[in-house]
Amino acid sequence: MTVAEKSDFLWKVLCPGAGWLLRAHAGRVTTQQVEQDIGILVGPGQTQADALKRAHRFALPVTQIEAYRIVHLRGTLGVQEIETLAETLLVDPIGQWWRVCRGNTRDPVQEPELESGRIVIETGLRPGVTDREGVEFVRASRQMGLKVEFATVATRWQIQGDLTEDQVHELANRVLHNEVVERWATGALAPAFADQAARPEPTLVLDIGGLDPDGLSELNQARRLGLDAAELVVIRDHFKGLGRNPTDAELETLAQTWSEHCAHKTFGAHITVQSKEGEEIGAVDSMMGTFLRAATDTVAAPWVQSAFVDNAGILSFEDGWEVAIKAETHNHPSALEPFGGSNTGVGGVVRDILGVSAKPIAITDILCFGDENLSPHELPPGVLNPSRVREGVIAGVGDYGNKIGVPTIAGAVLHDPSYTTTPLVFAGCLGLLPSGSNPTKAQPGDSIVVFGGAVGRDGVGGATFSSQTMGAETAEVAGSSVQIGDPIVEKGLIDVMVAAREAKLYTAVTDCGAGGLSSAVGEMAEELGAEVELGLVPRKYPGLAPWEVWLSEAQERMVVAAPDPEPLLALAQRWGVGAAVIGTFTGNGRLVVRDGEDVVIDLDCRFLHDGRPQRQMMAIAPDTSRPERSPLREDWTEVLLRLLAHPSIRSNEDIVRTFDHEILGGTLVRPYGGPKGQGAADGTVIVPPGTSGTRGVAIGIGVNCVLGRYNPNAMAWSVVDEAVRNVVIAGADPAELSLLDNFSWGDPTDQQTLGGLVEAVRGCHDAAVAFGAPFVSGKDSLYNVFVHPDGSPDPVAPTLVITAMGIVKNLGVVPLTGVVEPGNDVWLIGPLVGSLGGSHLDAVLGRDYGGQVPGVDPDTVRRHHQVAQAIATGLIRSAHDLSEGGLAVAAAEWALAGDLGLALEVPGSAEVLFGEGPGRYLLEVVPEDSLKLQALIPEAQNLGVVHGDPLVALGDLVVELGEIDHAWRGHHQAGGKA
Amino acid sequence: MKPRVLIPLALGTNRDADLGTAFELAGADPILVPLSELRAGKTRMNDFEILAIPGGFSYGDALGAGRLFGLDLMGWFGDQLHEAVAAGKPIIGICNGFQALVRAGLLPGPGHRAVLGSNRSSRFECRWVTLEPGSGPPKDQVPGRCLWTESLRGPLRCPVAHGEGRFVSDDLDALVQTGQIALRYVRVGTSTGGIIEEIPPGPDSYPHNPNGSVGNVAGVCDSTGQVLGLMPHPENHVFARQDPQRGRSSGGSCLPLFEAGVVAVGGKARMKIM
């Protein structure tokens, strides 16, 4: 079939519902301009290899999937104008064609006539979901002088295969669309425009005065408030005391402000700790205060400008400059809508940085995915296929970071079976601000100005949703909590906020994240009080209930307090960002929200912020005893290759290269380096643009998801140590480090889960104090539990992410990624023998062989300082830390990164080759400098040399670089040679 | 007086600051102006000596990378652009700026059809590449030598960061004939001690040619030699420390590219700091 014939064929097959327009287009009829809904189809279809692969995982008999773009639009258009629109806005001049494929939807839309074995499915965004393409289509067509009212983009999937009706549904639901944000139909999907989302609802007064605890609990569940029984009683009694009932908006505001997500009530709880025999062995009055803040107070680091109290930690960087740092989790949304979840996760943490008046300069991401080899039919209902989660999450991170123009410079990918039902997404951001330039004191009389996008029903109730466990129906009931970001709006916000800070136009700032205006204005008004008029809040469409406007988590918004809003509004206009004055900070200590004449909220700020009773919790201390380990004999070469191919160890270069890590021009140590750019760096370094250019910020990530099951306290030490090693290798001074903590844990009302968490937080405290590295910010994500339809809980592996940030004071001595030169000496710092309990060796061998997990080792602190000193003296050509998989994996990665060989003399025991533990490094030193290194670090052990042959030898274990490369790219299959 | 460089900003432009830094180092005075202000007539393109269209995701890449930026350029500033070309002013478009200039029809120029399509990998990719300046038009054809690249000695190294950069043209031979292929992807040989080599066709061309462009085309010039568009980001290799090889190798700075534009309008390139 020729191209022309094929187009004609498609035209007939795909577009039978638009006969009159087709004729018009063919020139036989000239229609006048009429208001109409039409669809324009753009071809040729693009082959969808990924979708086909996914369909095959579900054993669907599909042989080809092609995707065509469709633009649905409503407007008053003539044939000539439609042609102009299509030619100007939709097709490329080479290789693309277009057809009108849909008539007026007021006429019945016919199902396309299908040839045998050809199926058409159309998918499109739900009305109200961020639709940048639709918005831009309307803007551009108006710019061209054409009358388009609405436009939205859809996809037509053309499928070849012999599918039953059930299989078509499965294909649509599991492979082609996500019901949380999209709609679908076989054949033609009727367009739905944003205005059709309207559904007005008045403010309700909820009669709770007479409810007993059971009644309160029912209300709590029905509205998904996520409040504790004690909190519900306090709220009921508060309103009883006022002699009235709360409005829905007041109750939702309290639920949001008191949510785990916003109030961190587990971290602030009073916890009684028992032994597993039930004996009380201790109590913790606030893990936050007792452990995290206490560590920071004990270290009393002079470089900390702000810790814990603001949206991000703020630290001294160099004369005149400070850096801000923060990391967040976005787990629950990413499980339901992976792209939107990770996308808005990045957006949120970037706004945290804007929320301390800093300019975002780098992004980090730690992604935890489940078992991709699981048969789809083993997936519990409501759980997305892990490969789809992986694709979506990665695409979401890249889409946001790349588009806002901030480099994504550090991260990690972990795999664990528990992440199948509860995938985790951690996103971090680094910012830069002139010293002392973050104002934090709003004044009575200041205007409340909100910047950014308009409000819709998307993202209502996210704060409370992410503070509860998930199950098969979560997507249905909490779907509207999840959204897709609009990074282009955020890019504008960055420009506006930086310009506003430079011009000193505001007295306080915060981001509009979880809880929307309720959280942002509520927090800023904590001491002053505020009055807000909801009618002034920009909306995407009419019909929103007042509480929805107040709590909508519509993304890409910032709130400031401004003595004079006019210059801010002018700035917003310059950068094309929305802005509105929505109220005033009053000074009377009341939060009053009006919707026209109606008072929707009238709350005492003290009750809102301090009225919550401290949570009382019980925990059972974890049992950390371990069975003895029996010796193992295996083919260590084969084991090494399997370790290299382990999904938590193997190369992530294919992911990292989809993220822009070069923009802003400040990246010094990239996530992947070496002569071929294929070697993973340990820590990464950025030279903040606009500063002196002589110093850098090093970022290191430590994370583990195995040790927490055996010994959460030791896990914390290991993870802090790993983060510290990574920044030391990147050239940072270990005497001046700062840390972020991010916990993703299960249900804290489960006493054993909580007991583990207490030990992990205690471990963080101890490590931070030992390392002299304060925590400056953090975030906990709890209730990462999937509840199966039979009620059985499936908790996430306890996962701790530590981000270490350090200052690189001499950019010239930073070691290179990968070994550099044949003939150089290789030195090991730290013990030759590691621990095998909870090791990756056991992970690839498929069972726990017992043995102690890597323990707390205070001596590592000294080693970090020694290595840093050797680097500062310029002795170290390259370095790599011993981490997952121990010495053998480290040597293989290091050699591959440098595209050179290594000859190391070591005993061939499992403990030496694969043992893991803190504070261990491999260093490359030119032979003439080896004596100097020994003088600096007397315990350093010479293991061998770098050589030019593409072989890595560890005693008797010899592997070719090519085999390492193959395995490390994830291609090695267990049992067979590469 | 330093030559003034206009860097216009669309919604979603994001490599404007990097481009400004590069021109500043090259001895020019870069000025960043949102399109809305240009449109309001507060500033006109004619007030500047050089026009530089920066990279980014204008309008979120909606409806195809660079399409709406290109529409803005032609719809609002078509006359000013043609005036600038007629006045002999240098114009450069990088990445999204290149995409916009192609969509606007300024590149490769009248009589040619070209598209920057999705990368062959169908993914956004960020990696360093090596670029060889084209040999230019035949010796007797003096007008039409690309003022940005003709003085370059040796290859440039810099990153790419794009998802839609595969150059496709239905008359590549004609562009080669007229010397409009200003920059091509090449590779640094492994066996021959770092010598620049042509990229062999077939699967080995990736990742040296990161997007699958025909003829390994990384950048094209218009027939006047004034308008250059390229997908890679020379503005991200103007300081020595930006070289990811740091201690292993050096060279390939892209500063001379910007200096060539500055010199072409009578400016003085700043002292080399590399």
Side-chain angles (χ1 to χ4, degrees), chain A residues 562-587:
Chain A
D564 175 11
E566 287 309 317
L568 283 172
L569 300 180
L571 261 187
Q573 199 181 9
R574 176 168 205 256
W575 292 107
V577 172
V581 179
I582 61 164
T584 324
F585 291 102
T586 53

Side-chain angles (χ1 to χ4, degrees), chain A residues 653-665:
Chain A
E653 190 190 343
D654 56 340
I655 300 173
V656 168
R657 298 235 170 263
T658 67
F659 306 149
D660 190 343
H661 42 262
E662 299 287 348
I663 192 161
L664 304 184

